[in-house]
Amino acid sequence: MTAAGTGNAPPVATAQPGLPREVYVLSVVGGCVMLGLGLVLPVLPVYAATFGAGPTRIGVLVALFALLRLAASPFCGRLGARFGERRVLVAGLLLCAVSSALTAFASSYEQLLVFRGLGGVGSVLFSVSALATLLAVAPADRRGRASAVFEAGFLLGGVCGPALGGLLALVDLSTPFLAYAVLLLAAAALTLAVLRTGRTAGAEPGRDAVGLPVLLRDRRYVAACLAALAQGWVLFGLRGALVPTVVVAWRHDVTWVGWAFTTSAVVQALLIVPAGRVVDRAGRRPAMVAGTGVAASAVAALAFVDSYAWLVVLLCVYAAGSALLNAAPAALIGDVVAGRAGSGVAVFSMCTDVGAVVGPVVVGLVAERVGVPAAFGSGAALLAAAFVAAWTLPTVRPMRRS
């Protein structure tokens, strides 16, 4: 049995073979999705306000997307196993496109809720199926690089989207939603025309999908899910909800928040592909330990920051750890499920969504009732738990092939 099959470090090839074509297709499709999502996210609260929605109703509208993602996640594995990941992926893209186009022509807040909710369902159909497809086609010794390239597409799209969305909104507030629909249709067409998922390089023939009870007894799976939960909590609860309020409390305007986020995103974008190589060459365990350790240290230090410059520095340090956590947990999941269909990838995706839904609420309550340092401590504690889980993974040295 290879190292990839027994633990956390796959064989490393000296020839550095290229990645399958499907990995790059999925990265481009993911980039289109995130570019479009970035177009609409800054505009959505303002658009909702034109229908008379106040802060609470806007918050409900934003949260509904993540809630319906979470609610639909348990069904994604079964749908993929029955109809095929490629079909479910395309269905998710088309559902998101219809949702965005309908949102552009909404005439009431209630319609916005319905249309935005449809988008949440389509989003999770796409994301779970895309990740399952990626892990199925990527060879075990290149899963880290494949995961990094896949995440790089999302990251680049997310960086470019908000600025373009602001420009399109100058034409009309509904324009970004129509542009998002067009991007999704283009992504669906690209998937149908180019993506072929017949090969499953990491699959082990003759084996059925792994059941969830079996997965939860696998330390690799638990460590990956803990890292995903912590990432969702930190990105949406701490970075997305708490950091902007801290910066504004220092009497800086929202523009300074944007610069901080952009700087850290650039750092992550520069490091994510090298991080994927580290995951494949050094092994899953060292990458997980380093990623969770660096990220936990940066988030813990944020509790003691009292200047904008140090906040930006620590966000960049967190981005460096996060680059490893974009590749290593997904590679671990790929090692565990070995290219087989089932609920394993869907539950892993749900962990990020749980952090995204619960994190902002809990972080806000802790910040109000205990203090901002304690709120940052909650994220550091989750990352520390993921660090401990990563530390307990079995050590398997990379095996070199000639």
Side-chain angles (χ1 to χ4, degrees), residues 95-147:
L95 186 56
C96 284
V98 170
S99 163
S100 188
L102 289 174
T103 299
F105 296 103
S107 59
S108 68
Y109 172 78
E110 289 72 23
Q111 288 185 4
L112 279 182
L113 282 177
V114 174
F115 301 151
R116 188 66 177 162
L118 288 175
V121 175
S123 171
V124 75
L125 289 176
F126 158 75
S127 60
V128 171
S129 299
L131 181 57
T133 301
L134 176 87
L135 297 179
V137 301
D141 61 341
R142 282 167 272 168
R143 282 199 185 112
R145 290 164 57 199
S147 299

mmCIF file of all heavy atoms in Angstrom, residues 95-147:
data_model
loop_
_atom_site.group_PDB
_atom_site.id
_atom_site.type_symbol
_atom_site.label_atom_id
_atom_site.label_comp_id
_atom_site.label_asym_id
_atom_site.label_seq_id
_atom_site.Cartn_x
_atom_site.Cartn_y
_atom_site.Cartn_z
ATOM 1 N N LEU A 95 -28.890 26.888 -11.665
ATOM 2 C CA LEU A 95 -29.808 27.376 -10.630
ATOM 3 C C LEU A 95 -29.331 28.717 -10.080
ATOM 4 O O LEU A 95 -30.137 29.640 -9.852
ATOM 5 C CB LEU A 95 -29.917 26.346 -9.515
ATOM 6 C CG LEU A 95 -30.949 26.626 -8.412
ATOM 7 C CD1 LEU A 95 -32.341 26.821 -9.002
ATOM 8 C CD2 LEU A 95 -30.957 25.497 -7.387
ATOM 9 N N CYS A 96 -28.027 28.863 -9.880
ATOM 10 C CA CYS A 96 -27.482 30.152 -9.432
ATOM 11 C C CYS A 96 -27.701 31.243 -10.478
ATOM 12 O O CYS A 96 -27.997 32.395 -10.140
ATOM 13 C CB CYS A 96 -25.992 30.014 -9.141
ATOM 14 S SG CYS A 96 -25.603 29.180 -7.604
ATOM 15 N N ALA A 97 -27.555 30.894 -11.760
ATOM 16 C CA ALA A 97 -27.752 31.872 -12.832
ATOM 17 C C ALA A 97 -29.194 32.355 -12.854
ATOM 18 O O ALA A 97 -29.465 33.567 -12.965
ATOM 19 C CB ALA A 97 -27.373 31.260 -14.182
ATOM 20 N N VAL A 98 -30.139 31.422 -12.754
ATOM 21 C CA VAL A 98 -31.555 31.800 -12.727
ATOM 22 C C VAL A 98 -31.848 32.664 -11.507
ATOM 23 O O VAL A 98 -32.549 33.681 -11.590
ATOM 24 C CB VAL A 98 -32.442 30.536 -12.726
ATOM 25 C CG1 VAL A 98 -33.898 30.899 -12.458
ATOM 26 C CG2 VAL A 98 -32.321 29.795 -14.047
ATOM 27 N N SER A 99 -31.293 32.273 -10.361
ATOM 28 C CA SER A 99 -31.495 33.042 -9.131
ATOM 29 C C SER A 99 -31.002 34.479 -9.283
ATOM 30 O O SER A 99 -31.694 35.437 -8.897
ATOM 31 C CB SER A 99 -30.764 32.353 -7.975
ATOM 32 O OG SER A 99 -30.598 33.215 -6.883
ATOM 33 N N SER A 100 -29.806 34.642 -9.847
ATOM 34 C CA SER A 100 -29.242 35.981 -9.981
ATOM 35 C C SER A 100 -30.034 36.831 -10.975
ATOM 36 O O SER A 100 -30.277 38.027 -10.734
ATOM 37 C CB SER A 100 -27.778 35.883 -10.416
ATOM 38 O OG SER A 100 -27.153 37.142 -10.382
ATOM 39 N N ALA A 101 -30.449 36.225 -12.096
ATOM 40 C CA ALA A 101 -31.236 36.969 -13.080
ATOM 41 C C ALA A 101 -32.580 37.399 -12.496
ATOM 42 O O ALA A 101 -33.025 38.543 -12.706
ATOM 43 C CB ALA A 101 -31.456 36.107 -14.323
ATOM 44 N N LEU A 102 -33.231 36.506 -11.758
ATOM 45 C CA LEU A 102 -34.516 36.857 -11.131
ATOM 46 C C LEU A 102 -34.333 37.954 -10.085
ATOM 47 O O LEU A 102 -35.182 38.841 -9.950
ATOM 48 C CB LEU A 102 -35.138 35.620 -10.489
ATOM 49 C CG LEU A 102 -35.670 34.552 -11.450
ATOM 50 C CD1 LEU A 102 -36.129 33.317 -10.681
ATOM 51 C CD2 LEU A 102 -36.823 35.103 -12.295
ATOM 52 N N THR A 103 -33.212 37.899 -9.358
ATOM 53 C CA THR A 103 -32.936 38.939 -8.363
ATOM 54 C C THR A 103 -32.853 40.312 -9.016
ATOM 55 O O THR A 103 -33.317 41.314 -8.460
ATOM 56 C CB THR A 103 -31.621 38.627 -7.624
ATOM 57 O OG1 THR A 103 -31.745 37.377 -6.944
ATOM 58 C CG2 THR A 103 -31.288 39.713 -6.609
ATOM 59 N N ALA A 104 -32.275 40.368 -10.215
ATOM 60 C CA ALA A 104 -32.149 41.653 -10.922
ATOM 61 C C ALA A 104 -33.504 42.264 -11.256
ATOM 62 O O ALA A 104 -33.628 43.487 -11.376
ATOM 63 C CB ALA A 104 -31.344 41.461 -12.205
ATOM 64 N N PHE A 105 -34.535 41.402 -11.391
ATOM 65 C CA PHE A 105 -35.870 41.897 -11.745
ATOM 66 C C PHE A 105 -36.857 41.786 -10.592
ATOM 67 O O PHE A 105 -38.071 41.867 -10.803
ATOM 68 C CB PHE A 105 -36.397 41.114 -12.957
ATOM 69 C CG PHE A 105 -35.577 41.313 -14.204
ATOM 70 C CD1 PHE A 105 -34.691 40.336 -14.631
ATOM 71 C CD2 PHE A 105 -35.659 42.496 -14.918
ATOM 72 C CE1 PHE A 105 -33.924 40.515 -15.774
ATOM 73 C CE2 PHE A 105 -34.896 42.692 -16.068
ATOM 74 C CZ PHE A 105 -34.020 41.693 -16.489
ATOM 75 N N ALA A 106 -36.367 41.591 -9.371
ATOM 76 C CA ALA A 106 -37.258 41.482 -8.209
ATOM 77 C C ALA A 106 -38.018 42.782 -7.998
ATOM 78 O O ALA A 106 -37.517 43.878 -8.282
ATOM 79 C CB ALA A 106 -36.448 41.145 -6.966
ATOM 80 N N SER A 107 -39.229 42.640 -7.480
ATOM 81 C CA SER A 107 -40.059 43.822 -7.239
ATOM 82 C C SER A 107 -40.409 44.000 -5.770
ATOM 83 O O SER A 107 -41.138 44.923 -5.420
ATOM 84 C CB SER A 107 -41.350 43.732 -8.064
ATOM 85 O OG SER A 107 -42.082 42.572 -7.731
ATOM 86 N N SER A 108 -39.920 43.118 -4.895
ATOM 87 C CA SER A 108 -40.214 43.232 -3.465
ATOM 88 C C SER A 108 -39.124 42.528 -2.663
ATOM 89 O O SER A 108 -38.375 41.691 -3.191
ATOM 90 C CB SER A 108 -41.569 42.607 -3.135
ATOM 91 O OG SER A 108 -41.542 41.201 -3.303
ATOM 92 N N TYR A 109 -39.074 42.846 -1.374
ATOM 93 C CA TYR A 109 -38.104 42.207 -0.486
ATOM 94 C C TYR A 109 -38.384 40.704 -0.379
ATOM 95 O O TYR A 109 -37.447 39.901 -0.341
ATOM 96 C CB TYR A 109 -38.181 42.847 0.899
ATOM 97 C CG TYR A 109 -37.356 42.139 1.944
ATOM 98 C CD1 TYR A 109 -35.968 42.314 2.017
ATOM 99 C CD2 TYR A 109 -37.959 41.279 2.875
ATOM 100 C CE1 TYR A 109 -35.217 41.652 2.974
ATOM 101 C CE2 TYR A 109 -37.211 40.619 3.835
ATOM 102 C CZ TYR A 109 -35.844 40.814 3.878
ATOM 103 O OH TYR A 109 -35.104 40.155 4.824
ATOM 104 N N GLU A 110 -39.647 40.333 -0.349
ATOM 105 C CA GLU A 110 -40.006 38.921 -0.255
ATOM 106 C C GLU A 110 -39.493 38.133 -1.457
ATOM 107 O O GLU A 110 -39.019 36.993 -1.323
ATOM 108 C CB GLU A 110 -41.517 38.769 -0.122
ATOM 109 C CG GLU A 110 -42.091 39.223 1.215
ATOM 110 C CD GLU A 110 -42.086 40.733 1.395
ATOM 111 O OE1 GLU A 110 -42.055 41.461 0.357
ATOM 112 O OE2 GLU A 110 -42.114 41.208 2.546
ATOM 113 N N GLN A 111 -39.583 38.726 -2.640
ATOM 114 C CA GLN A 111 -39.036 38.060 -3.820
ATOM 115 C C GLN A 111 -37.513 37.932 -3.717
ATOM 116 O O GLN A 111 -36.945 36.906 -4.116
ATOM 117 C CB GLN A 111 -39.410 38.835 -5.086
ATOM 118 C CG GLN A 111 -40.881 38.720 -5.464
ATOM 119 C CD GLN A 111 -41.182 39.405 -6.782
ATOM 120 O OE1 GLN A 111 -40.286 39.913 -7.463
ATOM 121 N NE2 GLN A 111 -42.452 39.424 -7.159
ATOM 122 N N LEU A 112 -36.861 38.956 -3.189
ATOM 123 C CA LEU A 112 -35.425 38.875 -2.981
ATOM 124 C C LEU A 112 -35.066 37.675 -2.105
ATOM 125 O O LEU A 112 -34.097 36.950 -2.382
ATOM 126 C CB LEU A 112 -34.899 40.149 -2.319
ATOM 127 C CG LEU A 112 -34.630 41.370 -3.201
ATOM 128 C CD1 LEU A 112 -34.080 42.505 -2.347
ATOM 129 C CD2 LEU A 112 -33.665 41.034 -4.313
ATOM 130 N N LEU A 113 -35.831 37.451 -1.048
ATOM 131 C CA LEU A 113 -35.572 36.324 -0.155
ATOM 132 C C LEU A 113 -35.657 35.003 -0.908
ATOM 133 O O LEU A 113 -34.786 34.135 -0.769
ATOM 134 C CB LEU A 113 -36.573 36.322 1.007
ATOM 135 C CG LEU A 113 -36.341 37.299 2.152
ATOM 136 C CD1 LEU A 113 -37.479 37.189 3.164
ATOM 137 C CD2 LEU A 113 -35.005 37.028 2.837
ATOM 138 N N VAL A 114 -36.715 34.835 -1.683
ATOM 139 C CA VAL A 114 -36.908 33.586 -2.417
ATOM 140 C C VAL A 114 -35.785 33.366 -3.422
ATOM 141 O O VAL A 114 -35.189 32.281 -3.496
ATOM 142 C CB VAL A 114 -38.281 33.573 -3.119
ATOM 143 C CG1 VAL A 114 -38.422 32.336 -4.007
ATOM 144 C CG2 VAL A 114 -39.403 33.611 -2.091
ATOM 145 N N PHE A 115 -35.481 34.404 -4.198
ATOM 146 C CA PHE A 115 -34.474 34.268 -5.250
ATOM 147 C C PHE A 115 -33.075 34.062 -4.659
ATOM 148 O O PHE A 115 -32.279 33.270 -5.180
ATOM 149 C CB PHE A 115 -34.488 35.487 -6.166
ATOM 150 C CG PHE A 115 -35.807 35.736 -6.844
ATOM 151 C CD1 PHE A 115 -36.200 37.020 -7.208
ATOM 152 C CD2 PHE A 115 -36.670 34.682 -7.103
ATOM 153 C CE1 PHE A 115 -37.421 37.243 -7.833
ATOM 154 C CE2 PHE A 115 -37.893 34.897 -7.725
ATOM 155 C CZ PHE A 115 -38.271 36.181 -8.094
ATOM 156 N N ARG A 116 -32.780 34.749 -3.571
ATOM 157 C CA ARG A 116 -31.471 34.582 -2.928
ATOM 158 C C ARG A 116 -31.348 33.180 -2.335
ATOM 159 O O ARG A 116 -30.274 32.575 -2.371
ATOM 160 C CB ARG A 116 -31.308 35.636 -1.836
ATOM 161 C CG ARG A 116 -29.918 35.685 -1.231
ATOM 162 C CD ARG A 116 -28.896 36.124 -2.221
ATOM 163 N NE ARG A 116 -27.568 36.230 -1.613
ATOM 164 C CZ ARG A 116 -26.451 36.269 -2.293
ATOM 165 N NH1 ARG A 116 -26.475 36.227 -3.600
ATOM 166 N NH2 ARG A 116 -25.288 36.362 -1.680
ATOM 167 N N GLY A 117 -32.451 32.667 -1.788
ATOM 168 C CA GLY A 117 -32.440 31.314 -1.250
ATOM 169 C C GLY A 117 -32.152 30.275 -2.316
ATOM 170 O O GLY A 117 -31.390 29.321 -2.097
ATOM 171 N N LEU A 118 -32.734 30.435 -3.506
ATOM 172 C CA LEU A 118 -32.443 29.526 -4.618
ATOM 173 C C LEU A 118 -30.953 29.539 -4.950
ATOM 174 O O LEU A 118 -30.361 28.509 -5.258
ATOM 175 C CB LEU A 118 -33.245 29.933 -5.859
ATOM 176 C CG LEU A 118 -34.750 29.669 -5.844
ATOM 177 C CD1 LEU A 118 -35.398 30.243 -7.092
ATOM 178 C CD2 LEU A 118 -35.026 28.175 -5.733
ATOM 179 N N GLY A 119 -30.365 30.708 -4.868
ATOM 180 C CA GLY A 119 -28.938 30.817 -5.143
ATOM 181 C C GLY A 119 -28.100 30.038 -4.146
ATOM 182 O O GLY A 119 -27.079 29.448 -4.509
ATOM 183 N N GLY A 120 -28.517 30.019 -2.881
ATOM 184 C CA GLY A 120 -27.800 29.247 -1.871
ATOM 185 C C GLY A 120 -27.810 27.758 -2.174
ATOM 186 O O GLY A 120 -26.797 27.073 -2.036
ATOM 187 N N VAL A 121 -28.969 27.253 -2.614
ATOM 188 C CA VAL A 121 -29.073 25.837 -2.971
ATOM 189 C C VAL A 121 -28.172 25.525 -4.173
ATOM 190 O O VAL A 121 -27.420 24.543 -4.183
ATOM 191 C CB VAL A 121 -30.537 25.448 -3.267
ATOM 192 C CG1 VAL A 121 -30.625 24.009 -3.765
ATOM 193 C CG2 VAL A 121 -31.396 25.639 -2.026
ATOM 194 N N GLY A 122 -28.246 26.373 -5.198
ATOM 195 C CA GLY A 122 -27.404 26.164 -6.371
ATOM 196 C C GLY A 122 -25.929 26.240 -6.033
ATOM 197 O O GLY A 122 -25.111 25.475 -6.574
ATOM 198 N N SER A 123 -25.565 27.137 -5.127
ATOM 199 C CA SER A 123 -24.169 27.313 -4.755
ATOM 200 C C SER A 123 -23.580 26.054 -4.142
ATOM 201 O O SER A 123 -22.465 25.637 -4.484
ATOM 202 C CB SER A 123 -24.040 28.490 -3.778
ATOM 203 O OG SER A 123 -22.738 28.568 -3.246
ATOM 204 N N VAL A 124 -24.321 25.417 -3.240
ATOM 205 C CA VAL A 124 -23.779 24.227 -2.584
ATOM 206 C C VAL A 124 -23.760 23.034 -3.541
ATOM 207 O O VAL A 124 -22.865 22.184 -3.473
ATOM 208 C CB VAL A 124 -24.556 23.903 -1.293
ATOM 209 C CG1 VAL A 124 -25.922 23.289 -1.574
ATOM 210 C CG2 VAL A 124 -23.735 22.980 -0.394
ATOM 211 N N LEU A 125 -24.741 22.959 -4.454
ATOM 212 C CA LEU A 125 -24.702 21.897 -5.467
ATOM 213 C C LEU A 125 -23.423 22.016 -6.291
ATOM 214 O O LEU A 125 -22.763 21.013 -6.596
ATOM 215 C CB LEU A 125 -25.927 21.982 -6.377
ATOM 216 C CG LEU A 125 -27.276 21.589 -5.771
ATOM 217 C CD1 LEU A 125 -28.392 21.822 -6.790
ATOM 218 C CD2 LEU A 125 -27.275 20.139 -5.313
ATOM 219 N N PHE A 126 -23.077 23.238 -6.671
ATOM 220 C CA PHE A 126 -21.857 23.448 -7.450
ATOM 221 C C PHE A 126 -20.612 23.135 -6.634
ATOM 222 O O PHE A 126 -19.736 22.367 -7.065
ATOM 223 C CB PHE A 126 -21.783 24.890 -7.961
ATOM 224 C CG PHE A 126 -20.378 25.302 -8.301
ATOM 225 C CD1 PHE A 126 -19.773 24.834 -9.451
ATOM 226 C CD2 PHE A 126 -19.649 26.117 -7.438
ATOM 227 C CE1 PHE A 126 -18.463 25.178 -9.759
ATOM 228 C CE2 PHE A 126 -18.341 26.466 -7.727
ATOM 229 C CZ PHE A 126 -17.742 25.996 -8.899
ATOM 230 N N SER A 127 -20.491 23.723 -5.446
ATOM 231 C CA SER A 127 -19.231 23.652 -4.715
ATOM 232 C C SER A 127 -18.905 22.228 -4.269
ATOM 233 O O SER A 127 -17.753 21.787 -4.377
ATOM 234 C CB SER A 127 -19.262 24.602 -3.506
ATOM 235 O OG SER A 127 -20.311 24.258 -2.620
ATOM 236 N N VAL A 128 -19.912 21.496 -3.777
ATOM 237 C CA VAL A 128 -19.654 20.117 -3.338
ATOM 238 C C VAL A 128 -19.305 19.236 -4.530
ATOM 239 O O VAL A 128 -18.357 18.433 -4.481
ATOM 240 C CB VAL A 128 -20.864 19.558 -2.566
ATOM 241 C CG1 VAL A 128 -20.693 18.066 -2.294
ATOM 242 C CG2 VAL A 128 -21.049 20.310 -1.251
ATOM 243 N N SER A 129 -20.051 19.370 -5.632
ATOM 244 C CA SER A 129 -19.789 18.549 -6.810
ATOM 245 C C SER A 129 -18.436 18.885 -7.426
ATOM 246 O O SER A 129 -17.713 17.984 -7.891
ATOM 247 C CB SER A 129 -20.896 18.759 -7.846
ATOM 248 O OG SER A 129 -22.148 18.368 -7.327
ATOM 249 N N ALA A 130 -18.076 20.161 -7.439
ATOM 250 C CA ALA A 130 -16.781 20.553 -8.004
ATOM 251 C C ALA A 130 -15.633 19.971 -7.188
ATOM 252 O O ALA A 130 -14.658 19.453 -7.751
ATOM 253 C CB ALA A 130 -16.682 22.078 -8.068
ATOM 254 N N LEU A 131 -15.731 20.060 -5.847
ATOM 255 C CA LEU A 131 -14.665 19.519 -5.011
ATOM 256 C C LEU A 131 -14.590 18.000 -5.126
ATOM 257 O O LEU A 131 -13.497 17.424 -5.204
ATOM 258 C CB LEU A 131 -14.887 19.931 -3.552
ATOM 259 C CG LEU A 131 -13.823 19.452 -2.559
ATOM 260 C CD1 LEU A 131 -12.432 19.931 -2.969
ATOM 261 C CD2 LEU A 131 -14.159 19.916 -1.147
ATOM 262 N N ALA A 132 -15.749 17.331 -5.168
ATOM 263 C CA ALA A 132 -15.755 15.871 -5.327
ATOM 264 C C ALA A 132 -15.116 15.473 -6.653
ATOM 265 O O ALA A 132 -14.343 14.501 -6.729
ATOM 266 C CB ALA A 132 -17.186 15.340 -5.236
ATOM 267 N N THR A 133 -15.425 16.216 -7.709
ATOM 268 C CA THR A 133 -14.828 15.936 -9.017
ATOM 269 C C THR A 133 -13.323 16.147 -8.984
ATOM 270 O O THR A 133 -12.549 15.334 -9.505
ATOM 271 C CB THR A 133 -15.460 16.838 -10.089
ATOM 272 O OG1 THR A 133 -16.866 16.609 -10.132
ATOM 273 C CG2 THR A 133 -14.870 16.569 -11.461
ATOM 274 N N LEU A 134 -12.893 17.244 -8.372
ATOM 275 C CA LEU A 134 -11.466 17.540 -8.276
ATOM 276 C C LEU A 134 -10.714 16.410 -7.573
ATOM 277 O O LEU A 134 -9.681 15.936 -8.048
ATOM 278 C CB LEU A 134 -11.271 18.849 -7.508
ATOM 279 C CG LEU A 134 -9.802 19.227 -7.259
ATOM 280 C CD1 LEU A 134 -9.272 20.002 -8.443
ATOM 281 C CD2 LEU A 134 -9.659 20.028 -5.976
ATOM 282 N N LEU A 135 -11.231 15.978 -6.426
ATOM 283 C CA LEU A 135 -10.551 14.942 -5.654
ATOM 284 C C LEU A 135 -10.587 13.596 -6.361
ATOM 285 O O LEU A 135 -9.724 12.742 -6.137
ATOM 286 C CB LEU A 135 -11.185 14.839 -4.267
ATOM 287 C CG LEU A 135 -11.057 16.100 -3.397
ATOM 288 C CD1 LEU A 135 -11.740 15.897 -2.059
ATOM 289 C CD2 LEU A 135 -9.597 16.493 -3.203
ATOM 290 N N ALA A 136 -11.579 13.395 -7.224
ATOM 291 C CA ALA A 136 -11.666 12.136 -7.963
ATOM 292 C C ALA A 136 -10.646 12.069 -9.097
ATOM 293 O O ALA A 136 -10.083 11.008 -9.372
ATOM 294 C CB ALA A 136 -13.075 11.960 -8.526
ATOM 295 N N VAL A 137 -10.402 13.200 -9.759
ATOM 296 C CA VAL A 137 -9.521 13.172 -10.935
ATOM 297 C C VAL A 137 -8.060 13.438 -10.596
ATOM 298 O O VAL A 137 -7.174 13.123 -11.385
ATOM 299 C CB VAL A 137 -9.980 14.193 -12.010
ATOM 300 C CG1 VAL A 137 -11.403 13.902 -12.455
ATOM 301 C CG2 VAL A 137 -9.843 15.623 -11.508
ATOM 302 N N ALA A 138 -7.783 14.028 -9.426
ATOM 303 C CA ALA A 138 -6.399 14.365 -9.072
ATOM 304 C C ALA A 138 -5.687 13.136 -8.524
ATOM 305 O O ALA A 138 -6.161 12.518 -7.568
ATOM 306 C CB ALA A 138 -6.392 15.480 -8.025
ATOM 307 N N PRO A 139 -4.547 12.765 -9.080
ATOM 308 C CA PRO A 139 -3.768 11.650 -8.528
ATOM 309 C C PRO A 139 -3.340 11.948 -7.095
ATOM 310 O O PRO A 139 -3.168 13.110 -6.708
ATOM 311 C CB PRO A 139 -2.557 11.561 -9.463
ATOM 312 C CG PRO A 139 -2.999 12.242 -10.725
ATOM 313 C CD PRO A 139 -3.940 13.320 -10.298
ATOM 314 N N ALA A 140 -3.160 10.905 -6.302
ATOM 315 C CA ALA A 140 -2.866 11.076 -4.877
ATOM 316 C C ALA A 140 -1.620 11.915 -4.632
ATOM 317 O O ALA A 140 -1.570 12.718 -3.699
ATOM 318 C CB ALA A 140 -2.714 9.708 -4.207
ATOM 319 N N ASP A 141 -0.586 11.752 -5.493
ATOM 320 C CA ASP A 141 0.654 12.484 -5.271
ATOM 321 C C ASP A 141 0.596 13.924 -5.765
ATOM 322 O O ASP A 141 1.581 14.647 -5.669
ATOM 323 C CB ASP A 141 1.832 11.752 -5.921
ATOM 324 C CG ASP A 141 1.673 11.621 -7.432
ATOM 325 O OD1 ASP A 141 0.537 11.765 -7.924
ATOM 326 O OD2 ASP A 141 2.689 11.375 -8.116
ATOM 327 N N ARG A 142 -0.562 14.350 -6.308
ATOM 328 C CA ARG A 142 -0.718 15.734 -6.774
ATOM 329 C C ARG A 142 -1.979 16.384 -6.224
ATOM 330 O O ARG A 142 -2.421 17.422 -6.724
ATOM 331 C CB ARG A 142 -0.743 15.758 -8.305
ATOM 332 C CG ARG A 142 0.633 15.614 -8.951
ATOM 333 C CD ARG A 142 0.543 15.334 -10.434
ATOM 334 N NE ARG A 142 0.432 13.895 -10.688
ATOM 335 C CZ ARG A 142 0.103 13.383 -11.860
ATOM 336 N NH1 ARG A 142 -0.173 14.175 -12.873
ATOM 337 N NH2 ARG A 142 0.034 12.073 -12.017
ATOM 338 N N ARG A 143 -2.591 15.795 -5.196
ATOM 339 C CA ARG A 143 -3.834 16.360 -4.662
ATOM 340 C C ARG A 143 -3.613 17.720 -4.006
ATOM 341 O O ARG A 143 -4.488 18.580 -4.049
ATOM 342 C CB ARG A 143 -4.466 15.395 -3.658
ATOM 343 C CG ARG A 143 -5.210 14.242 -4.306
ATOM 344 C CD ARG A 143 -6.191 13.595 -3.350
ATOM 345 N NE ARG A 143 -6.767 12.420 -4.003
ATOM 346 C CZ ARG A 143 -6.554 11.169 -3.630
ATOM 347 N NH1 ARG A 143 -5.798 10.929 -2.574
ATOM 348 N NH2 ARG A 143 -7.102 10.159 -4.262
ATOM 349 N N GLY A 144 -2.475 17.898 -3.355
ATOM 350 C CA GLY A 144 -2.203 19.193 -2.744
ATOM 351 C C GLY A 144 -2.109 20.284 -3.789
ATOM 352 O O GLY A 144 -2.715 21.352 -3.649
ATOM 353 N N ARG A 145 -1.356 20.039 -4.867
ATOM 354 C CA ARG A 145 -1.237 21.025 -5.944
ATOM 355 C C ARG A 145 -2.581 21.263 -6.611
ATOM 356 O O ARG A 145 -2.943 22.403 -6.932
ATOM 357 C CB ARG A 145 -0.219 20.551 -6.975
ATOM 358 C CG ARG A 145 1.221 20.555 -6.493
ATOM 359 C CD ARG A 145 2.118 19.726 -7.395
ATOM 360 N NE ARG A 145 2.052 20.206 -8.775
ATOM 361 C CZ ARG A 145 2.429 19.469 -9.826
ATOM 362 N NH1 ARG A 145 2.859 18.223 -9.644
ATOM 363 N NH2 ARG A 145 2.351 19.970 -11.039
ATOM 364 N N ALA A 146 -3.339 20.182 -6.830
ATOM 365 C CA ALA A 146 -4.645 20.325 -7.470
ATOM 366 C C ALA A 146 -5.582 21.168 -6.619
ATOM 367 O O ALA A 146 -6.283 22.058 -7.125
ATOM 368 C CB ALA A 146 -5.252 18.943 -7.726
ATOM 369 N N SER A 147 -5.606 20.916 -5.316
ATOM 370 C CA SER A 147 -6.463 21.695 -4.418
ATOM 371 C C SER A 147 -6.052 23.156 -4.404
ATOM 372 O O SER A 147 -6.902 24.059 -4.363
ATOM 373 C CB SER A 147 -6.397 21.114 -2.998
ATOM 374 O OG SER A 147 -6.843 19.778 -2.971
#
